[in-house]
DNA sequence: ACAACTATACCGTCTAGCCGGTACAGTCGA
DNA sequence: TCGACTGTACCGGCTAGACGGTATAGTTGT
């Protein structure tokens, strides 16, 4: 077929990124196992040869995903630090599945880490270390910061496990506001 | 009817359970991908034919693991409810990788859920629903119970991701005691 | 001309699942 | 008490298909 404007939509997004998007999507939706090269190529509407043109191996594909995740997370750490409503507020609100690029990349990375890919484990560990550090700066108490991180992690688990079942309205804006108020009690007074 | 004394060692643990143990272990250590039938059989020191005698398919193996997890979790809910030091104390302390049978089964189940096995998702969702219910009974506040569950989930993520890296002494007894004290602040007063 | 692909064919390995066979303990009728 | 038979617990060889990766020839927009 015509490799140009697929059919209607012009490839405003470079193929390389579309491949990474597709890989991510498959990891999130179907786990490690379903993210095969064939599946990734098909999902990105690219031939397998085309995939391997951009990423010479599956390892390279994983590397590309992890690099993008790391870059996204680095930006995010800055967003948390400078969030107008406060670091804790921002962290908690963005810990629920918002569908943001970082969100998807983070969950995809988690899948790889659970498959025990050592690079994925390292990248995730580093990202979490950065988040913890930002929260520590914001609350001035290592134990409280730790507890807040745990809640943030818990939210990720919840939203990626239940998707939308368990406790229908746990992730609404109102619920998040109540949760953040609750976290406020952890702070002695500042 | 004695299937005993294979050669020398009497199989004090039935082969069926050894297979489930091996499957669990592989899921925990290497993720979904590494838990192949061949690997499970080898880890249980059984031939592949032997494995398939006990579990006719991989699906059946997953079913067996999930059934065992569910049974273990049902017992555990009772342990939480009747824990001398209180439900919250028990839940939090057992949320870190203790190596208990439930612990391992739960993490293994999580791996399957991340592979998007719908049965695994359902079993885990149900287990978490039960835990939440027990905590709600203990703290008499839905929001606080929710927050405690999130912390518990976070601890699982932490211990299963970092294993023993990130923040060396986050899961010591002392750290847990401090965390539980912190959670106490969430309760208005009771 | 060149980069960015498509399409197809192929290879070695891994994976799930199947099947025939073996060993052996216990049951039962004559 | 013997021989025929049954059920349980396995072994190990096999196959079809999936998977990662290679190779190569052709197409298209700039």
């Amino acid at each position: 077929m015509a490799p140009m404007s697929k059919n209607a939509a012009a490839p405003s997004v470079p193929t390389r990124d579309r491949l990474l998007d597709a890989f991510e999507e498959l990891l999130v939706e179907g786990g490690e196992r379903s993210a095969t090269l064939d599946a990734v190529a098909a999902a990105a509407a690219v031939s397998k040869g085309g995939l391997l043109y951009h990423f010479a191996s599956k390892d390279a594909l994983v590397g590309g995903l992890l690099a993008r995740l790391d870059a996204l997370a680095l930006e995010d750490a800055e967003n948390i630090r400078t969030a107008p409503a406060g670091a804790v507020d921002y962290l908690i609100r963005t810990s629920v599945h918002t569908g943001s690029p970082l969100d998807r990349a983070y969950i995809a990375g988690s899948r790889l880490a659970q498959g025990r890919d050592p690079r994925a484990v390292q990248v995730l560990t580093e990202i979490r270390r950065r988040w913890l550090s930002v929260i520590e700066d914001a609350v001035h108490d290592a134990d409280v910061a730790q507890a807040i991180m745990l809640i943030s992690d818990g939210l990720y688990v919840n939203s990626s496990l239940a998707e939308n079942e368990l406790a229908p309205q746990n992730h609404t804006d109102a619920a998040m506001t109540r949760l953040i108020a609750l976290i406020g009690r952890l702070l002695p007074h500042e």
Side-chain angles (χ1 to χ4, degrees), chain A:
Chain A
M1 306 280 173
M4 56 156 302
S5 59
K6 213 56 288 160
N7 253 339
S12 54
V13 180
T15 303
R16 209 191 117 95
D17 290 326
R18 291 205 338 268
L19 285 165
L20 252 19
D21 289 343
F23 186 36
E24 242 177 50
E25 186 70 13
L26 284 163
L27 281 172
V28 172
E29 295 301 320
E32 218 195 333
R33 203 119 200 217
S34 69
T36 67
L37 294 187
D38 281 317
V40 171
V46 163
S47 71
K48 196 174 166 182
L51 192 171
L52 288 162
Y53 172 78
H54 289 283
F55 300 98
S57 67
K58 193 164 194 184
D59 236 51
L61 191 59
V62 170
L65 185 121
L66 256 21
R68 201 169 72 166
L69 167 58
D70 203 48
L72 249 18
L74 215 47
E75 275 180 45
D76 187 63
E78 212 34 48
N79 288 343
I80 299 179
R81 203 181 298 272
T82 61
V88 174
D89 186 282
Y90 183 96
L91 179 79
I92 295 299
R93 286 188 196 278
T94 57
S95 290
V96 310
H97 208 321
T98 55
S100 72
L102 173 61
D103 233 355
R104 294 170 66 247
Y106 186 80
I107 294 172
S110 303
R111 306 285 197 232
L112 293 173
Q114 270 130 14
R116 308 239 69 82
D117 184 306
R119 286 169 306 164
V121 171
Q122 206 215 311
V123 169
L124 288 204
T125 301
E126 176 62 16
I127 289 172
R128 294 171 36 71
R129 204 196 51 67
R130 281 200 296 252
W131 280 340
L132 179 61
S133 159
V134 173
I135 297 299
E136 273 174 352
D137 288 352
V139 302
H140 308 298
D141 182 314
D143 286 341
V144 173
Q146 175 73 14
I148 291 169
M149 275 298 292
L150 291 174
I151 289 174
S152 166
D153 289 339
L155 285 168
Y156 260 105
V157 173
N158 248 299
S159 62
S160 100
L161 173 67
E163 203 71 358
N164 45 26
E165 309 167 38
L166 173 75
Q169 247 57 22
N170 270 344
H171 299 149
T172 60
D173 215 57
M176 285 305 109
T177 304
R178 293 205 308 282
L179 178 60
I180 290 162
L182 218 45
I183 291 170
R185 290 195 209 159
L186 291 175
L187 298 162
H189 267 137
E190 315 209 36

